Amino acid sequence: MIFGSAAAIGSGIEVAVEEVIGKAHVPTTAASAAVTVPAAVHLLTVRLVHARHFKRDLAEQLALPLAAVAILGYTFTEEWADLAAGLVAAATVAVGVSLSRRTAPGLPAVAVPPNRM
């Protein structure tokens, strides 16, 4: 399901591009849904398979489901749906990283060393 939804995002982008240049004769909302629905499914399946086992608190647990709902909501913004979905996905990554870098309550703050190659 994870890989299938990721592949469907790519196919949805193709539909959206074809709709913008006028080759696909589908409504704009359908072209938007071709990107946003697989993106939301991807976020939810990643949450079910992986994230629910490694997130520490409610804020971390809710990041992916809330992002999926937001992305689905942007389906109906028509020509802005793909851009909005991408911005929501990028913001979700930023929020997830910042939440995972927090220290647990009651523990001393520990600096995270930079990744050195």
Side-chain angles (χ1 to χ4, degrees):
M1 193 82 168
I2 290 176
F3 296 120
S5 59
I9 293 169
S11 299
I13 291 171
E14 176 66 23
V15 170
V17 168
E18 295 291 327
E19 191 273 330
V20 167
I21 64 173
K23 287 189 176 182
H25 302 290
V26 296
T28 305
T29 304
S32 299
V35 175
T36 58
V37 172
V41 169
H42 184 73
L43 290 176
L44 291 175
T45 55
V46 166
R47 171 33 182 102
L48 289 174
V49 172
H50 174 73
R52 68 184 172 128
H53 299 293
F54 297 101
K55 303 301 180 183
R56 295 179 297 188
D57 60 4
L58 185 62
E60 288 184 47
Q61 290 284 340
L62 288 178
L64 291 176
L66 290 177
V69 169
I71 287 173
L72 281 176
Y74 281 117
T75 300
F76 302 102
T77 59
E78 296 188 349
E79 35 305 305
W80 295 101
D82 301 334
L83 175 63
L87 292 174
V88 169
T92 303
V93 170
V95 167
V97 168
S98 66
L99 288 174
S100 69
R101 300 284 182 168
R102 296 178 303 160
T103 57
L107 293 178
V110 177
V112 177
N115 187 7
R116 300 187 191 258
M117 300 292 275

